[in-house]
Amino acid sequence: MEQKKVETLSMEAVSEEDLKSQTIVALLRNNIEKDLSEYYDKRFTVPLEYFLYEMKLMHLSPVQSGYEILVGITPVIGPHDAVGYDELTYVVDYAGDLTLKQHKHIKDYELPDRYRDLQK
């Protein structure tokens, strides 16, 4: 039986820098979800969604102990309705240990009426 080739993401269409940024964010995803859930679980009665395509590596810089990583995230509820925008700053040391340095909640978005009862 002949297998059909299914075209997906073309690696040639993405720059090496984009790939590195996406990889860093993907590696941080579990920490990002945990850290943002601590904030948003106090504000909503249901868990929010944190999609990789709603996360962006904003800045990466060396620091004395390793690297500082700034990630911008837009958590969503329901069918991708943004609830806010946050920036998390992490420090990863040379041993690979990751520490949340700062969480800045930058902006709230007004929710559609159908989701307002999910706010605490």
Side-chain angles (χ1 to χ4, degrees), residues 5-14:
K5 182 178 178 185
V6 177
E7 291 295 327
T8 58
L9 176 68
S10 169
M11 298 307 279
E12 290 79 31
V14 179

Side-chain angles (χ1 to χ4, degrees), residues 4-116:
K4 293 182 179 179
K5 182 178 178 185
V6 177
E7 291 295 327
T8 58
L9 176 68
S10 169
M11 298 307 279
E12 290 79 31
V14 179
S15 73
E16 185 174 342
E17 186 171 325
D18 286 342
L19 287 173
K20 288 177 182 177
S21 294
Q22 291 172 14
T23 301
I24 290 169
V25 171
L27 290 169
L28 296 176
R29 181 184 177 170
N30 290 338
N31 294 84
I32 290 169
E33 281 192 39
K34 180 184 79 60
D35 294 330
L36 284 179
S37 290
E38 288 178 14
Y39 177 79
Y40 282 104
D41 286 355
K42 297 172 187 167
R43 303 182 68 214
F44 289 91
T45 60
V46 296
L48 300 182
E49 297 286 340
Y50 307 98
F51 295 107
L52 282 174
Y53 57 83
E54 295 286 358
M55 300 179 191
K56 181 176 170 116
L57 180 66
M58 307 297 290
H59 187 72
L60 173 64
S61 61
V63 293
Q64 187 173 9
S65 60
Y67 299 95
E68 190 171 276
I69 304 165
L70 175 64
V71 181
I73 308 103
T74 303
V76 299
I77 195 168
H80 309 288
D81 288 302
V83 300
Y85 175 76
D86 298 79
E87 292 182 347
L88 300 177
T89 303
Y90 290 97
V91 173
V92 59
D93 67 19
Y94 293 117
D97 295 321
L98 186 70
T99 305
L100 177 64
K101 180 179 176 182
Q102 184 176 43
H103 171 201
K104 280 188 184 177
H105 178 72
I106 307 293
K107 183 175 184 173
D108 286 316
Y109 292 104
E110 189 172 332
L111 293 176
D113 290 338
R114 66 184 179 276
Y115 295 122
R116 291 208 179 127

